[in-house]
Amino acid sequence: MKGMKRMAVMTKVKKNFVSPANIGTLEPAQKSKKVAFQTKELNLWYGEDHALKNINLDIFENEVTAIIGPSGCGKSTFIKTLNRMVELIPVVKISGDILYREKSILNKSYKVEDLRTRVGMVFQKPNPFPKSIYENIAYGPKIHGIRNKKILDEIVEKSLRGAAIWDEVKDRLHENAYGLSGGQQQRICIARCLAIEPDVILMDEPTSALDPISTLKIEELVQELKKDFSIIIVTHNMQQAARISDKTAFFLNGEVIEFDATDKIFSTPSDKRTEDYITGRFG
Amino acid sequence: MKYFDSGQIQKKLGSRLLLNQVAKRLFFLATLVGLVVLVILIYRVFSDSLGWIDFEFLSNKLSTDPQKAGILGAISGTFWLMVVVAPVTFFLGVGTAIYLEEFAKKGRFQSFIQTNISNLAGVPSIVFGLLGLTVFVRGLGLGAVVLAGGLTMALLVLPIVVVSAQEAIRAVPQYLRDASYGMGATKWQTIKNVVLPAAIPGILTGIILALSRAIGETAPLVVLGIPALLIPLPEGIFDKFTVMPLQIYYWTIDAALVTEYANLAAASIVVLLFILFLMNSVAVFIRNKYQKRY
């Protein structure tokens, strides 16, 4: 309750703390890396509920960007907006713009099927299909028209290796994926995502349903994957964000309070609310 | 200050327990009524049919002589009817369910259709017979053939298939769809590869139950003008036919003229019940086998 009260007060005086223009614009040191995603004045409503407020973020390629914040702050909504999965909810309204590789994805001529092939997603709860491990991985390539058995075999192996689970499942590729443990299932889901050779991988609290050892494996995997992919990860776990991300955005009540290098956020946050959250005073 | 007087409570406890016993016995009795009636019915049918069901009965064509009469005609009529009903209900029923669950925007139009499908399930079967007579037998000029009867029956059982298919589709977890959409699959690809394979056991169960309803249905076929006495066997969907419940109906009526017809009717009922029992068992088997696969 105390925390809630403080939050309410803080929201009122927010404008004195941060000038919105500064949010999300990063230091020129980033020049070598390209921007994968750029959101401009992004607003989102669920019916009357204003879930995202004026989000301006630049997300760079080959980095891990962590999104942290308390429950209901809009962090999951935000990453689901990046591959337009949020549109599956009928009452959603969006204003502003999202640029992916400098093209507006909110433009209706940008086909979601195309977008989601470039921007893959790993979900909160491991959600393999009730099919064999092989069929799970081959699903993406197949829907995009790859029929050649040899190519599919190669994709399956490459993806499973990429998700660091090949050695565990190579002898049981044709068994049902439901026979695997939760942590293995989640790595199967990551492999399934890699199989469509995405450019960006969105991860929505990928370890929240897993035990610590499985969590550790996924975290190591994320470190490995960022060499080839841009990763945006929503997490409830601040230590996780600190361990694996390069940039961290702190969301509160649908707004980005602070977005900066992870080191900076966790050592010298510039906003009092960020400091309160990461030191566990609320959230 | 105590509100509970244990002496008073003890005194009332007896009557409370008594009432409990009365309720228990009363409801047991209610359950018993239905069961007893069913047992009497089955007993009568079986005792009347005793000695009448044999290979001849199953493999002979219809005859006016009770000793020679068989139900092969009615059985093959029922079979051909199913040949029409099964695919028609499958495509129309599952198609409607897919549209309503996956494609239609949730709104007034969708709930209007939904309400009307429920209403359709409540329309008396004889009304469907009139519809079949007007549209298929006369309108399309098909005559009282298998195709006309099958299309009429298909419409009659369609709501059952639609509703059960909708339930099966709705039971497929959203996270499976999300996984598919998340990889850039279109709606149809998701339905075809993820939703339908997961929903198919439920859909099949619904279809089998719908078919067993169609097998037992009589009234609409009476209206269509399905003949009472038909000796040649139907060999395709454009042939004239009769079905088992109709055969039972006419034999029962004519039992006033030839007493043995009552035994033939009873024997046919046993065969019909056996087929229905078999179909329902298959439905239960499918349901149990594929339950909780995800």
Side-chain angles (χ1 to χ4, degrees):
Chain A
M1 275 314 274
K2 246 184 179 174
M4 296 265 290
K5 227 179 216 170
R6 193 190 346 245
M7 268 165 64
V9 174
M10 299 249 168
T11 321
K12 258 184 208 162
V13 293
K14 180 214 137 219
K15 288 217 163 75
N16 303 333
F17 273 97
V18 194
S19 92
N22 287 338
I23 296 173
T25 25
L26 289 160
E27 308 306 308
Q30 293 300 330
K31 277 218 172 113
S32 55
K33 280 178 179 170
K34 283 187 189 148
V35 176
F37 268 111
Q38 187 173 35
T39 68
K40 290 179 174 170
E41 304 282 314
L42 179 67
N43 281 279
L44 184 143
W45 292 264
Y46 291 119
E48 294 299 302
D49 184 14
H50 198 172
L52 294 178
K53 299 166 190 163
N54 275 327
I55 310 285
N56 293 291
L57 285 182
D58 288 354
I59 292 166
F60 289 85
E61 64 179 14
N62 296 101
E63 283 189 347
V64 177
T65 305
I67 314 276
I68 61 170
S71 299
C73 68
K75 50 192 195 305
S76 282
T77 302
F78 174 70
I79 72 160
K80 279 183 193 153
T81 313
L82 298 181
N83 67 347
R84 285 172 58 186
M85 284 294 273
V86 80
E87 287 174 12
L88 294 176
I89 303 157
V91 291
V92 161
K93 272 182 305 184
I94 300 176
S95 77
D97 207 354
I98 303 173
L99 301 182
Y100 164 65
R101 300 279 177 195
E102 288 156 13
K103 270 193 194 152
S104 169
I105 60 163
L106 295 182
N107 196 322
K108 286 292 160 193
S109 68
Y110 204 123
K111 295 279 170 268
V112 282
E113 289 80 9
D114 185 22
L115 175 68
R116 290 173 190 162
T117 313
R118 293 159 200 264
V119 183
M121 189 162 202
V122 176
F123 297 82
Q124 190 167 352
K125 198 180 149 216
N127 59 351
F129 299 121
K131 301 173 189 275
S132 72
I133 294 167
Y134 183 95
E135 284 300 322
N136 264 282
I137 312 300
Y139 183 85
K142 275 185 180 171
I143 58 171
H144 293 292
I146 296 175
R147 288 272 169 270
N148 186 320
K149 178 88 172 61
K150 207 168 148 270
I151 295 179
L152 285 175
D153 287 350
E154 283 172 24
I155 293 176
V156 169
E157 179 171 347
K158 183 171 168 240
S159 308
L160 288 169
R161 282 188 192 282
I165 193 170
W166 171 253
D167 290 332
E168 290 162 63
V169 300
K170 65 181 176 208
D171 299 322
R172 47 198 288 207
L173 288 179
H174 296 283
E175 283 172 36
N176 197 307
Y178 275 32
L180 300 172
S181 73
Q184 288 174 321
Q185 287 187 10
Q186 192 63 302
R187 277 180 288 148
I188 290 291
C189 292
I190 293 174
R192 186 174 63 183
C193 179
L194 299 182
I196 55 170
E197 299 181 345
D199 171 36
V200 180
I201 300 174
L202 306 175
M203 296 184 167
D204 187 2
E205 298 188 35
T207 61
S208 65
L210 305 182
D211 62 88
I213 292 169
S214 305
T215 299
L216 190 69
K217 281 189 180 154
I218 304 258
E219 286 183 8
E220 285 168 1
L221 181 57
V222 168
Q223 288 302 311
E224 203 53 41
L225 290 173
K226 78 169 188 183
K227 292 172 191 158
D228 301 310
F229 305 93
S230 317
I231 294 171
I232 305 171
I233 182 167
V234 166
T235 177
H236 240 110
N237 180 333
M238 278 173 285
Q239 284 77 27
Q240 184 171 67
R243 279 194 298 265
I244 65 176
S245 69
D246 302 298
K247 301 270 168 53
T248 297
F250 172 54
F251 275 58
L252 186 63
N253 294 334
E255 290 174 274
V256 177
I257 303 301
E258 197 167 344
F259 178 46
D260 213 325
T262 300
D263 294 347
K264 169 117 188 343
I265 293 265
F266 283 94
S267 56
T268 49
S270 50
D271 193 291
K272 179 80 170 54
R273 289 165 293 177
T274 316
E275 191 185 335
D276 284 349
Y277 182 69
I278 60 170
T279 53
R281 249 171 268 171
F282 75 91
Chain B
M1 166 82 197
K2 275 186 85 175
Y3 289 102
F4 277 67
D5 176 352
S6 57
Q8 282 292 324
I9 289 173
Q10 285 292 332
K11 238 196 310 187
K12 280 188 183 160
L13 189 61
S15 65
R16 277 164 56 200
L17 286 175
L18 186 71
L19 195 62
N20 190 41
Q21 288 300 319
V22 171
K24 181 176 149 189
R25 301 224 157 93
L26 200 69
F27 297 138
F28 176 66
L29 226 71
T31 314
L32 217 55
V33 171
L35 277 179
V36 166
V37 171
L38 184 70
V39 168
I40 292 172
L41 185 89
I42 288 179
Y43 170 75
R44 281 224 33 205
V45 168
F46 270 82
S47 62
D48 281 357
S49 71
L50 218 64
W52 287 86
I53 303 175
D54 51 21
F55 183 70
E56 312 260 279
F57 178 69
L58 294 174
S59 62
N60 274 7
K61 290 184 188 177
L62 191 58
S63 163
T64 45
D65 177 358
Q67 297 303 329
K68 284 189 195 156
I71 52 165
L72 186 62
I75 290 178
S76 59
T78 295
F79 168 78
W80 282 109
L81 194 70
M82 291 307 109
V83 168
V84 176
V85 176
V88 172
T89 47
F90 183 82
F91 285 109
L92 289 184
V94 178
T96 308
I98 289 174
Y99 175 75
L100 289 177
E101 287 301 314
E102 300 286 330
F103 286 105
K105 286 219 169 74
K106 305 277 173 273
R108 271 200 206 146
F109 176 67
Q110 196 249 4
S111 67
F112 174 78
I113 296 182
Q114 192 71 67
T115 314
N116 278 292
I117 285 172
S118 312
N119 286 341
L120 216 56
V123 173
S125 59
I126 196 139
V127 177
F128 279 96
L130 290 171
L131 173 102
L133 183 69
T134 320
V135 178
F136 303 124
V137 176
R138 299 210 180 126
L140 298 178
L142 291 172
V145 298
V146 175
L147 184 60
L151 291 175
T152 308
M153 282 297 190
L155 291 181
L156 174 70
V157 299
L158 199 56
I160 305 176
V161 177
V162 173
V163 171
S164 64
Q166 272 185 294
E167 275 164 15
I169 289 170
R170 222 175 292 148
V172 178
Q174 183 59 36
Y175 58 73
L176 292 181
R177 294 186 183 86
D178 287 347
S180 178
Y181 291 138
M183 279 181 284
T186 61
K187 211 155 219 188
W188 171 236
Q189 285 177 319
T190 303
I191 292 168
K192 186 175 59 135
N193 298 317
V194 177
V195 178
L196 283 185
I200 210 76
I203 292 174
L204 280 184
T205 310
I207 286 180
I208 294 173
L209 292 180
L211 287 186
S212 60
R213 164 97 194 272
I215 284 181
E217 197 59 61
T218 327
L221 295 180
V222 173
V223 180
L224 289 188
I226 302 304
L229 187 70
L230 183 79
I231 293 175
L233 299 181
E235 281 167 355
I237 58 170
F238 293 104
D239 287 348
K240 287 191 174 296
F241 73 112
T242 191
V243 291
M244 300 182 59
L246 263 181
Q247 192 72 67
I248 295 166
Y249 173 65
Y250 289 124
W251 267 334
T252 312
I253 289 179
D254 292 344
L257 308 172
V258 185
T259 24
E260 283 94 340
Y261 282 172
N263 301 91
L264 289 176
S268 313
I269 289 172
V270 171
V271 176
L272 182 61
L273 284 179
F274 181 72
I275 293 177
L276 290 179
F277 175 74
L278 219 65
M279 289 179 73
N280 286 350
S281 311
V282 171
V284 171
F285 175 76
I286 292 178
R287 192 165 49 213
N288 290 346
K289 180 157 186 208
Y290 292 99
Q291 222 167 27
K292 297 209 183 87
R293 254 192 347 164
Y294 41 82

